Amino acid sequence: MSGARGENWRGGRIGILGGTFDPPHGGHVRMAAAARTVLGLEHVFFSPAPHPPHKNAEPVTAWEHRRAMTAAALEGESGMSVTDIESASGPSYTVELLRSASRATAADLYFILGADSMAQLASWREPEEILRLCTLVVFPRDDRAVRLPVPGPASLVVFEAPRVDVSSTEIRAAFTAGAPVAGAVPDAVAAYIGRNGLYRRS
């Protein structure tokens, strides 16, 4: 089976890391790498949401830039790439991403997220269906406790490390203020942001 534009979704275990990626940062890459190594994932696909529904009240960088930055963040990383499997029309719901992925592959799906996102799962669209379609892979963040307030069957993998103590919101603010961001984002992402003038004060 195949995904969007000839993407290779073959294998027994496939990881997915969805998000806005505005911008992607080192924590995203470290989470994916740890999950791939520990869980034996054949590949991890990063899926920048075309229309993140939880960002309606704030501006979001154009999808083309977020996709390009995500691809730059994964340069030189083995077994990781960007997918275009999400629909470009309508809100980008995680459950629809997982449905598209399940149509593209017979592999077991592992959805990678931080504990802060996990805490919001009950408010997501069709949380029980999300839990049916994948195993959730949860990474710690900001000493947040992991709780699953959703009825029904669930498969969880909870990591103790690496702890993700950086956020895209903080990184955008740092770029806007001209503050140092060394190490927060991959060098290729910082270079892309500079070339395209992203996150400057309007």
Side-chain angles (χ1 to χ4, degrees):
M1 296 182 180
S2 62
R5 303 182 187 178
E7 295 166 359
N8 185 358
W9 286 76
R10 295 190 183 94
R13 293 182 168 194
I14 297 292
I16 301 173
L17 206 165
T20 309
F21 300 121
D22 192 15
H25 52 68
H28 294 131
V29 178
R30 290 193 297 274
M31 284 162 52
R36 184 167 180 261
T37 298
V38 175
L39 300 176
L41 307 180
E42 276 85 359
H43 201 86
V44 176
F45 285 104
F46 283 57
S47 185
H51 304 288
H54 60 293
K55 298 287 186 178
N56 288 335
E58 57 187 271
V60 177
T61 303
W63 178 83
E64 291 77 10
H65 284 310
R66 293 186 286 112
R67 188 199 187 285
M69 286 190 287
T70 305
L74 300 179
E75 288 176 3
E77 298 290 341
S78 176
M80 302 182 205
S81 62
V82 180
T83 178
D84 296 336
I85 202 168
E86 287 197 74
S87 172
S89 61
S92 305
Y93 293 115
T94 296
V95 68
E96 299 301 341
L97 166 59
L98 290 168
R99 282 179 175 136
S100 295
S102 67
R103 289 191 290 268
T105 183
D108 292 332
L109 298 177
Y110 291 75
F111 190 76
I112 303 165
L113 71 166
D116 55 336
S117 296
M118 176 71 181
Q120 303 300 317
L121 180 65
S123 67
W124 292 7
R125 188 183 185 112
E126 299 182 57
E128 292 89 349
E129 182 68 1
I130 290 173
L131 297 173
R132 188 188 70 80
L133 289 167
C134 71
T135 294
L136 294 180
V137 180
V138 184
F139 283 83
R141 183 163 184 173
D142 300 331
D143 296 317
R144 209 179 275 261
V146 176
R147 180 169 176 260
L148 187 65
V150 179
S155 297
L156 290 174
V157 176
V158 180
F159 278 71
E160 294 183 358
R163 183 173 296 279
V164 181
D165 291 327
V166 63
S167 74
S168 295
T169 301
E170 293 167 349
I171 292 169
R172 289 196 302 274
F175 272 107
T176 300
V181 292
V185 297
D187 291 344
V189 174
Y192 183 93
I193 291 170
R195 287 196 307 271
N196 290 277
L198 303 180
Y199 311 125
R200 290 177 179 170
R201 284 193 180 91
S202 57

